[in-house]
Amino acid sequence: MAPIKLAPSILTADFGRLADEVRAAEAAGADVLHLDVMDGQFVPNITFGAVVVEALRKVTGLPFDIHLMVVEPERQIVAFAEMAGTINVHFEVSPHSHRTLEAIHKLGRRAGVCLNPGTPIAAIEESLADADQVMVMTINPGWGGQQMIAAQLEKVRRIRSLLDAAGSRAEIEVDGGVNVGNAALCARAGASVLVCGSSVFNSTQTVPANLAALRAALE
Ligand code: DX5
Ligand code: ZN
């Protein structure tokens, strides 16, 4: 099994202390920082844009995993390219996803394609060869702190076997409701990047304690 990367999402972090929260996650061994960009159209909430991501770039050396929950994501790629990592676009709002993935690659960044729970795998089957990462949403996007839709792990398994059959080394990222109780199930299904929002940034435990618990759950 590939080493599993933990990708804390700042969505449920304390935004008044954002730099400290991010530094705490890095110091505690986070592998990637997951950044949820929402536009109030693709999803009801508005979070933050490139200005905040640029400020965070000065705070941490962690690779940025930009999750664009915006309509017309192709219009936003250039703004985030400087700071990414990986730029993930939702298939549901990117009808020309082939061109979008190509545009991300031309900017020298990893390209990810995301699937909502209701979107079938067939929608991205033709794009698998062009993606460095497939993000399987295990919640309906828009909010942190939701319960994982466990049936989506079957989708992870099926995508992993399609990728393996094609000889692709693309990673599968699971986003939504990952916690100590299901992290190992996600890994076993074939995910190698686990987004952790409320299971890392919450008011019950510290960030290092939460990350340590997730690591332990994966052993
Ligand atoms: C929600 C975001 C997620 C969110 C996950 O639309 O895409 O990345 O932060 O939060 P949890 O881990 O609490 O479900
Ligand atoms: Zn996300």
Side-chain angles (χ1 to χ4, degrees):
M1 211 156 70
I4 307 299
K5 295 180 197 151
L6 294 178
S9 155
I10 61 169
L11 198 56
T12 55
D14 178 350
F15 274 63
R17 304 173 36 253
L18 197 49
D20 292 340
E21 295 270 70
V22 168
R23 283 191 200 104
E26 182 172 22
D31 300 290
V32 172
L33 195 69
H34 183 83
L35 297 165
D36 290 300
V37 178
M38 303 185 185
D39 67 350
Q41 286 194 69
F42 178 57
V43 290
N45 285 328
I46 299 176
T47 52
F48 49 81
V51 174
V52 171
V53 176
E54 204 176 340
L56 289 177
R57 192 59 293 166
K58 299 185 179 104
V59 167
T60 174
L62 288 174
F64 283 175
D65 185 45
I66 313 281
H67 182 186
L68 290 178
M69 281 166 277
V70 304
V71 297
E72 301 184 276
E74 53 282 349
R75 295 179 57 207
Q76 300 300 328
I77 288 164
V78 171
F80 289 94
E82 186 77 9
M83 294 82 81
T86 307
I87 300 181
N88 303 279
V89 294
H90 271 266
F91 172 82
E92 298 84 359
V93 277
S94 194
H96 306 291
S97 56
H98 181 271
R99 190 161 63 207
T100 307
L101 297 177
E102 203 174 58
I104 296 170
H105 282 146
K106 276 199 183 132
L107 291 162
R109 300 300 176 245
R110 295 177 79 244
V113 62
C114 317
L115 281 183
N116 276 342
T119 307
I121 297 170
I124 56 147
E125 221 169 320
E126 309 303 327
S127 306
L128 289 177
D130 304 305
D132 301 295
Q133 175 165 292
V134 180
M135 188 192 298
V136 176
M137 294 304 300
T138 42
I139 53 167
N140 287 293
W143 299 269
Q146 302 181 65
Q147 204 186 338
M148 178 180 285
I149 305 166
Q152 291 296 310
L153 293 184
E154 180 52 32
K155 201 188 228 174
V156 172
R157 268 180 223 109
R158 280 159 49 207
I159 294 173
R160 188 68 265 164
S161 33
L162 284 175
L163 290 169
D164 289 346
S168 165
R169 295 171 64 189
E171 296 199 89
I172 300 181
E173 176 170 41
V174 161
D175 186 4
V178 173
N179 59 33
V180 288
N182 58 32
L185 294 176
C186 298
R188 231 172 283 144
S192 58
V193 188
L194 307 185
V195 176
C196 313
S198 51
S199 58
V200 166
F201 296 110
N202 58 42
S203 50
T204 32
Q205 279 283 3
T206 64
V207 168
N210 285 330
L211 275 166
L214 284 160
R215 282 269 178 242
L218 287 165
E219 268 160 24

